[in-house]
Amino acid sequence: MRLVVKIGTSSLCGDDGLLIDERIKNLAAQMAWARQNSHELVVVSSGAVGAGIGRSGKHPSEVVEKQALAAIGQAYLMQAYQRHLPDVVLAQILLTRQDLEDARRRANSVNTIQRLLEWGVLPIVNENDTVAHEEIRIGDNDTLAARVAVLINANLLILLSDVDGLYTEDPRKTPAAKHVGTVQWVSGELLNRHGTKTRGWGTGGIRTKLLAARIAQEHAIPTVLADSTTPDVVPHLVQGDVVRATYFLSRPDDPSFGVNVRNHSGMEILLGDEY
Ligand code: GLU
């Protein structure tokens, strides 16, 4: 299986923005599992700004400072992954929107990732925050991960976050909010329900995750939104085990992934149409 696993800042950094080594160690072990089991893996990892804060002790108050911290932190982020994946060759890929939209740059990006996968290297992708000003920013790593999944024609996009899926409302504000097991189609209505661009309760917000799932759906790629702290979440998802998460079907008329999901016992299912 060709997998894109996106790891959000909230899964890597504490409230103070600092990288938490134990979390990287845990996720790295799951990456190693995927590779040992012959899956092709591309990781989209946030955490550069967090790692930059950790190393420099500076806290960003303006965009340029964030960009500077990303420049510092990106190297330390890669080092942290390398420390916990001593036997794996890693490659760092930093992309901007132009790299995905310009045909030539896009072809270069895909060819490079393709070659790295053929070589058995683990590509770790992030947005090139240091050069990506507003006009050329992708803006969030959920969207970046979906675009990378499309770029390399992945079979599955896994978004790891600090939430175990989509809820009918913000569960932190509304304890009665219901967990959504499956979304058949990320409709415009669903997107409207989950607000505008303002940040949600996850670091990137639920909206960017829905948008990412929609991009993947439009290209017939299924997406799972799961909690990064669920033990062995990646192996479980890849093996089709029961994991509390939200499954976005690949497209409404191709429910193969959904059938698999619906077979999972004990999972609360709410289809996008109803929702
Ligand atoms: N590229 C940012 C970073 O590495 C994260 C962006 C995001 O979390 O969406 O810190």
Side-chain angles (χ1 to χ4, degrees):
M1 194 187 276
R2 187 170 272 196
L3 286 172
V4 173
V5 177
K6 183 258 173 176
I7 306 172
T9 302
S10 61
S11 305
L12 296 168
C13 302
D15 291 341
D16 52 5
L18 305 188
L19 273 183
I20 298 175
D21 199 56
E22 199 53 35
R23 293 192 184 168
I24 300 215
K25 184 179 174 187
N26 168 35
L27 292 161
Q30 298 182 53
M31 292 174 203
W33 175 92
R35 292 167 46 81
Q36 277 151 17
N37 286 273
S38 307
H39 298 292
E40 287 185 314
L41 175 66
V42 173
V43 170
V44 175
S45 177
S46 304
V49 175
I53 294 170
R55 289 306 297 195
S56 68
K58 295 190 185 301
H59 288 265
S61 57
E62 46 182 320
V63 174
V64 65
E65 290 181 354
K66 253 189 163 175
Q67 293 181 302
L69 287 168
I72 297 169
Q74 184 63 34
Y76 292 101
L77 180 64
M78 291 300 291
Q79 269 181 28
Y81 280 116
Q82 190 68 80
R83 196 162 51 246
H84 295 297
L85 290 163
D87 303 326
V88 178
V89 180
L90 305 183
Q92 169 182 279
I93 301 186
L94 300 178
L95 298 172
T96 63
R97 209 169 73 200
Q98 281 174 329
D99 300 321
L100 298 170
E101 288 176 359
D102 175 86
R104 204 165 155 171
R105 284 170 171 237
R106 192 181 152 89
N108 286 339
S109 308
V110 74
N111 290 342
T112 303
I113 296 175
Q114 184 62 41
R115 187 55 53 94
L116 289 167
L117 290 174
E118 282 164 21
W119 283 349
V121 172
L122 171 57
I124 300 191
V125 181
N126 197 356
E127 179 153 21
N128 195 349
D129 292 314
T130 301
V131 300
H133 60 86
E134 209 45 57
E135 288 95 77
I136 61 160
R137 265 180 80 73
I138 298 158
D140 68 89
N141 276 2
D142 296 316
T143 305
L144 173 62
R147 291 191 171 201
V148 167
V150 172
L151 195 69
I152 62 164
N153 207 5
N155 305 105
L156 179 62
L157 169 62
I158 298 177
L159 301 176
L160 294 181
S161 182
D162 59 353
V163 282
D164 59 6
L166 176 68
Y167 284 77
T168 49
E169 286 165 86
D170 182 343
R172 293 182 193 177
K173 290 188 196 142
T174 313
K178 285 180 75 180
H179 181 260
V180 178
T182 304
V183 175
Q184 197 169 27
W185 180 244
V186 181
S187 61
E189 202 230 320
L190 187 61
L191 285 167
N192 286 341
R193 243 177 227 243
H194 289 278
T196 54
K197 279 194 170 165
T198 50
R199 300 210 139 199
W201 53 94
T203 300
I206 200 70
R207 185 179 166 84
T208 58
K209 289 168 182 57
L210 291 176
L211 285 169
R214 169 70 179 254
I215 292 168
Q217 274 186 332
E218 283 168 354
H219 293 83
I221 300 169
T223 300
V224 188
L225 170 58
D227 188 335
S228 65
T229 62
T230 301
D232 290 323
V233 63
V234 172
H236 284 312
L237 289 172
V238 171
Q239 292 174 143
D241 299 337
V242 177
V243 175
R244 187 173 161 90
T246 297
Y247 297 78
F248 298 86
L249 308 192
S250 53
R251 52 177 190 234
D253 56 343
D254 175 18
S256 53
F257 184 65
V259 169
N260 188 19
V261 171
R262 278 182 214 120
N263 286 342
H264 287 163
S265 56
M267 179 108 55
E268 188 185 348
I269 305 292
L270 252 180
L271 289 178
D273 283 347
E274 289 171 50
Y275 185 58

